[in-house]
Amino acid sequence: MMDALVCAAPGQLVLERRPIPEPADGEVLIRVRRVGVCGTDMHIYRGTQPFLAYPRVMGHELAGEVVQAPAGGDLAPGDPVYVMPYMSCGTCAACRKAKPNCCMNIQVLGVHRDGGMAQYLAVPEGFVRKAEGISLDEAAMIEFLAIGAHAVRRAAITPGQSVLVVGAGPIGIAAALFAKLQGGIVTALDGRQDRLDFCRDHLGVDHVVGLGDETRQALSDLTNGDFFDVVFDATGNPKAMEAGFAYVGHGGSYVLISVVGANITFSDPEFHKREATLLGSRNATPEDFDAVVEAMKAGKVPTGALNTHAATLAEVAQALPGWMEPQAGVIKAIVSC
């Protein structure tokens, strides 16, 4: 038997005893050791995640050790591993285009199917990678960083381009980090000074701007009225996503990383006169996971600063509501299983 943390309904977390899963053919049984807590988990707890049915075991930022693996593969018992949590079908139109991140039949761990806030998890071998040269804590942070890396790759940032990241939570931080690594001149915009301080102190962003009545003027001043070559939205707020269109310069691109259960509108004349490019960015691909691991190994990711909070699996039900409060200052909370 094993412990599993179940979100039975919005606001209800229950630690249950469940049977250890039996891996099917082609699956790896993992002893989960670390789980990163992200905004998706908080939306599940609040009841605002649009793709989920309760009850659900949350958790998709996963690291652990192999217990059992298919014979003849690259994995062996005891190997430290991380999980790519987007269970893609491999046959749909998106998968045939090498876009498994937006698979038409996608099953995301912790959202569409039970995830990793449990002591054991069985997943298909193709979604498990060795975590070589990094710690388990770092391995549990790969997934959220890969989302930012994917968005930056979608934007095709070139050195010297002006980049605005709206929303300096974990995903925005990831986008800002990889935009800097691509040579972008990065501005972070957020309503929380502590997050802006983090971006300045640990990511080396070029400018930080607080949200307020003078925001548009401040952004205009920073760019001599040109606004930005690339704008990323990582707010999860429909009004902020709509406002971001106005920050895209002529010939620029707007990348929506956020997912919200709402319709987003914008001014068509403004969009057309700028010949703007609008991009959605969903999840990440294996290439993005690889890029994050290489950046970690090269010392380019401030993993120690990102890892701000910790708890055991038994403590999460009590800790999570507090982590969701702004005054907690959570960047990334890591659960030990």
Side-chain angles (χ1 to χ4, degrees):
M1 299 293 285
M2 68 173 185
D3 290 334
L5 187 68
V6 180
C7 191
Q12 297 181 25
L13 293 174
V14 181
L15 193 66
E16 293 184 356
R17 293 291 287 171
R18 290 187 170 189
I20 295 173
E22 290 285 342
D25 288 345
E27 288 191 333
V28 178
L29 180 63
I30 298 170
R31 175 63 172 92
V32 180
R33 295 296 186 187
R34 302 288 189 275
V35 184
V37 177
C38 82
T40 297
D41 301 314
M42 295 179 183
H43 283 301
I44 292 170
Y45 183 79
R46 291 189 183 104
T48 56
Q49 215 293 330
F51 303 125
L52 181 125
Y54 298 90
R56 179 65 69 228
V57 176
M58 302 184 299
H60 61 273
E61 300 179 1
L62 309 176
E65 298 162 352
V66 173
V67 175
Q68 182 179 334
D74 293 332
L75 299 173
D79 283 343
V81 293
Y82 66 89
V83 177
M84 295 181 294
Y86 322 124
M87 307 287 105
S88 52
C89 71
T91 59
C92 72
C95 289
R96 295 197 304 270
K97 296 172 186 173
K99 292 179 176 286
N101 56 305
C102 54
C103 169
M104 296 170 67
N105 305 301
I106 200 165
Q107 293 281 299
V108 179
L109 291 176
V111 179
H112 303 98
R113 57 190 283 183
D114 282 346
M117 283 200 186
Q119 291 175 310
Y120 292 86
L121 182 69
V123 294
E125 183 179 20
F127 299 96
V128 183
R129 296 281 188 93
K130 289 184 181 180
E132 296 177 317
I134 58 175
S135 70
L136 287 175
D137 282 349
E138 289 174 324
M141 290 189 274
I142 295 171
E143 192 270 345
F144 91 89
L145 291 165
I147 291 174
H150 181 73
V152 168
R153 188 159 64 89
R154 289 275 287 153
I157 291 171
T158 57
Q161 282 192 311
S162 58
V163 178
L164 175 66
V165 177
V166 186
I171 300 301
I173 285 171
L177 170 65
F178 283 93
K180 280 294 294 180
L181 292 178
Q182 289 300 112
I185 301 170
V186 179
T187 298
L189 171 64
D190 200 277
R192 286 176 50 179
Q193 188 61 45
D194 62 323
R195 288 182 168 179
L196 295 177
D197 291 343
F198 184 96
C199 290
R200 182 188 60 241
D201 297 343
H202 297 288
L203 307 181
V205 301
D206 301 276
H207 308 285
V208 296
V209 175
L211 191 63
D213 294 339
E214 304 301 319
T215 295
R216 181 178 171 80
Q217 186 60 52
L219 297 175
S220 178
D221 291 345
L222 283 175
T223 57
N224 296 315
D226 291 338
F227 289 94
F228 294 88
D229 297 312
V230 181
V231 177
F232 294 97
D233 178 87
T235 65
N237 182 293
K239 294 301 181 184
M241 294 165 77
E242 291 178 346
F245 282 90
Y247 306 146
V248 181
H250 284 244
S253 298
Y254 191 21
V255 185
L256 300 181
I257 314 175
S258 296
V259 178
V260 294
N263 293 326
I264 304 299
T265 63
F266 57 90
S267 167
D268 185 66
E270 286 293 328
F271 184 77
H272 270 82
K273 80 178 185 181
R274 301 172 195 216
E275 199 178 53
T277 299
L278 179 62
L279 294 167
S281 183
R282 186 180 186 191
N283 301 328
T285 66
E287 293 85 352
D288 303 309
F289 281 80
D290 291 342
V292 171
V293 172
E294 290 307 308
M296 283 182 171
K297 289 180 179 179
K300 296 178 180 179
V301 181
T303 53
L306 291 168
N307 187 354
T308 57
H309 291 68
T312 66
L313 189 64
E315 295 168 340
V316 175
Q318 182 176 358
L320 183 61
W323 287 344
M324 294 165 61
E325 297 298 326
Q327 61 267 26
V330 174
I331 300 297
K332 182 53 58 179
I334 303 290
V335 177
S336 297
C337 297

